[in-house]
Amino acid sequence: MTSTNTPSHRVPPLLWLSVVVLVTINLRPFLTAPGPLGNAIQQATAMDLRSFSWLTLLPMALMGIGGWLAPTALLRWGARSAICGSLLLIALGCALRMLPAGAATGSLLIATAGLCGAGVALVQSIMPGLIKRQSPHNVAPMMGLYSAALMGGGALSAQLSPLAMQWGMDWQAALAIWAIPVLLALPLAWRALSLMRADSLTRASGSAPHSGDGGDTGWLLRRRRTWLLLISFGLMNGGYGSTVAWLAPFYQTHGWTATQSGSLLAILSIAQAASALAMPALARRSVDRRPWVLLALLLQVAGFAGLALWPDAMPTLNAIVLGLGLGGCFSLFMLVALDHLPSPTQAGALNSLMQGGGFILAALAPLAMAQLHQLSGSWTSGWLYQAGVAALVCLLVTRFNPKGYQRAMGR
């Protein structure tokens, strides 16, 4: 069997770098675009807050389910077919939002969000493992770049979607335009993934789970550490889902316009991208990532507390603080999961399982906030809830001592 620490391909580094950025940047626009357009969408579709939360809940839940299926999909279809087919699903989901106004009901919007979420699920679950295989000596900075591109795509959508309405588009077109960059990235992804050796990406499907790169993930599910990673990632990422769904509508209740609230969400997403890129690079100097993860979580506590208690005091600064916490935490969790196992395929499978269950758990957060809003009549209780969740994850993260990784994974 080939070494698990050597690249599997001959993909030129610049091409691989471009593919990571241009594919990943398309994984969040469909999710961040509806928030700033919430008033227009709700007026046209008569969606209440709980129905509107499904535009975030359903795709995040499908991202989770897809994460669980990703190792099997990679073995059955290979990286090229799985990723490129998923990109087509994202493009289709975005494009269908352009259907005539009479058909553009809330149910259709939720269905298109589901299509996009299903497409994103496989891509974001497969990419970390590919990154570890393709860039074995640069995993931390590459995961930072991957996470930054993820957040950067969300920033573009949050800013440009309300501007598109200002420039004369209706809300449907402002949502549908995000099919275009997906289709532009598709040929490049096909080319790069075609250069990878399919046999090395799917090798050892019958190998013993402790000795090879096998597709059997049952042994991972029997490890307590897998579930600790899953729960911690899910609770932490629920803050991102809630922010994407409700930050712009929250500030619109304070008199902000769609463009202004979209700009604030874009600023938060830019801070996410910067932190997602910087924190793994800074954490690269230490095998123990916990101090950086804890810093990111404490920034989240401060940011959510600011939204709850002083929303109008310094909204831009608060958005930056919260964005730094959310972005850094996401990329560091991906890195911590990959750190647990030396085999790229096994580490990628663990990452997929963490994302899979984690996104299912995180999907409930926007709905929980909508329910808290309905019960209390304000957003304060929801933002305080997210601050409390981030504080809880701080306690869970203390368990991630790298000296215990081998024992935790039963190796």
Side-chain angles (χ1 to χ4, degrees), residues 116-340:
C116 293
V120 167
L122 289 184
V123 179
Q124 72 178 17
S125 297
I126 290 172
M127 284 298 289
L130 291 183
I131 287 171
K132 181 158 185 170
R133 184 179 295 276
Q134 293 291 312
S135 309
H137 305 298
N138 295 289
V139 175
M142 284 298 294
M143 285 307 300
L145 181 67
Y146 165 84
S147 301
L150 202 68
M151 310 304 174
L156 283 173
S157 176
Q159 181 66 75
L160 293 181
S161 295
L163 285 176
M165 288 190 66
Q166 276 193 353
W167 297 333
M169 290 186 181
D170 58 23
W171 62 267
Q172 295 165 261
L175 295 177
I177 55 173
W178 298 104
I180 297 171
V182 182
L183 295 175
L184 293 177
L186 188 58
L188 193 67
W190 182 271
R191 170 61 179 161
L193 295 169
S194 296
L195 296 176
M196 295 182 186
R197 290 215 317 264
D199 63 326
S200 63
L201 289 174
T202 59
R203 186 179 295 273
S205 59
S207 301
H210 283 240
S211 61
D213 281 352
D216 178 15
T217 58
W219 69 278
L220 288 172
L221 293 174
R222 293 190 291 272
R223 299 290 176 266
R224 292 182 180 179
R225 179 53 53 87
T226 301
W227 292 96
L228 182 60
L229 283 165
L230 183 159
I231 291 168
S232 301
F233 180 83
L235 291 173
M236 176 278 300
N237 218 44
Y240 172 74
S242 296
T243 303
V244 165
W246 302 125
L247 182 68
F250 168 64
Y251 273 102
Q252 287 173 22
T253 64
H254 286 238
W256 292 40
T257 66
T259 302
Q260 289 171 332
S261 61
S263 296
L264 188 67
L265 184 56
I267 289 169
L268 181 141
S269 298
I270 291 168
Q272 282 182 291
S275 181
L277 185 62
M279 282 200 180
L282 294 170
R284 187 183 186 185
R285 298 175 181 271
S286 174
V287 178
D288 191 347
R289 324 286 188 180
R290 286 177 297 175
W292 293 101
V293 179
L294 289 170
L295 172 61
L297 285 166
L298 290 173
L299 288 171
Q300 285 189 45
V301 173
F304 284 126
L307 287 175
L309 304 176
W310 310 283
D312 298 313
M314 293 180 288
T316 300
L317 178 60
N318 194 66
I320 291 171
V321 169
L322 181 56
L324 291 173
L326 289 168
C329 212
F330 180 86
S331 60
L332 288 168
F333 260 95
M334 306 283 274
L335 187 57
V336 166
L338 293 177
D339 285 343
H340 272 74

